[in-house]
Amino acid sequence: ARDAVAMATGLGLAYAKSRDFGRRVRQWRLMADVANDAGLAIQMVAPVWRNGDHFLLLACVAAACHCACGVCAGATKASISQHFATDNFAELVAKEGSQETFVNILGLVVGYASLRLLNRSPGAVAFAFVILTAVHVVANVLAVRTLRFRSVNEVRFRILHERWRLGGDLGVAAVGDAEPLLPGLGR
């Protein structure tokens, strides 16, 4: 059931939002990390209901969140990589893959060492999870805010038009700062 829900989520999200991923790269990139963090949080609390009917539901929702993360992150990765590539796109993608591998290995080592220290207390595990998740979300918000796309999408066009009408700043940074962080939401 969990895998079926995840696959259906991926197909449904790709079908419903595939055209929007390229238009709102910043927003969907952040949405990917929020979905992943939500899935991890649900996985953390799911064992509380391991003997009841809620465990399967929570496991399915967590799998759907992780799948949504994969779809959103995968769909926005090329645009973000292209944004940062100044000369050689292939070189950037190769180095990005190597950096991702290194960060995953580092995360495994630090995670294992932390697990040995924290695993004695469920409260310590929960506290560390909340703190690290909050740091992860804040870091992602700051990272997404630094993306300054020069292309004009619907949202940036509306911001540019409004600022032009009012005589405001039309610079890339000012328009980027006014752009909402999550799809469908205000600033």
Side-chain angles (χ1 to χ4, degrees), residues 46 136 173:
H136 183 247

Side-chain angles (χ1 to χ4, degrees), residues 46-69:
V48 173
W49 290 283
R50 68 181 164 269
N51 294 327
D53 296 331
H54 299 298
F55 179 78
L56 180 60
L57 174 66
L58 291 173
C60 289
V61 172
C65 288
H66 290 304
C67 187
C69 170

Side-chain angles (χ1 to χ4, degrees), residues 10-126:
L11 291 172
L13 185 59
Y15 176 78
K17 296 296 181 182
S18 61
R19 291 181 180 213
D20 201 42
F21 291 138
R23 295 180 191 148
R24 293 178 177 85
V25 175
R26 290 169 36 147
Q27 293 84 351
W28 286 111
R29 179 60 240 179
L30 183 60
M31 181 63 85
D33 285 307
V34 169
N36 189 54
D37 289 343
L40 290 171
I42 293 167
Q43 283 179 325
M44 290 283 290
V45 300
V48 173
W49 290 283
R50 68 181 164 269
N51 294 327
D53 296 331
H54 299 298
F55 179 78
L56 180 60
L57 174 66
L58 291 173
C60 289
V61 172
C65 288
H66 290 304
C67 187
C69 170
V71 171
C72 295
T76 59
K77 186 173 186 166
S79 294
I80 294 171
S81 295
Q82 187 176 22
H83 171 73
F84 286 115
T86 55
D87 187 30
N88 190 341
F89 181 72
E91 179 184 13
L92 181 124
V93 170
K95 288 180 178 178
E96 180 184 37
S98 297
Q99 180 183 25
E100 198 170 305
T101 300
F102 175 75
V103 168
N104 286 336
I105 291 170
L106 184 63
L108 284 171
V109 170
V110 171
Y112 181 72
S114 300
L115 183 65
R116 293 181 56 126
L117 295 172
L118 297 173
N119 206 27
R120 294 182 182 100
S121 166
V125 171

Side-chain angles (χ1 to χ4, degrees), residues 122-147:
V125 171
F127 179 76
F129 177 78
V130 168
I131 295 298
L132 291 173
T133 300
V135 168
H136 183 247
V137 170
V138 169
N140 276 290
V141 167
L142 295 174
V144 166
R145 276 276 173 225
T146 64
L147 289 173

Side-chain angles (χ1 to χ4, degrees), residues 156-168:
R156 286 191 286 272
F157 178 78
R158 285 189 199 111
I159 294 167
L160 283 166
H161 180 261
E162 184 67 20
R163 286 173 178 257
W164 175 77
R165 262 187 348 99
L166 300 173

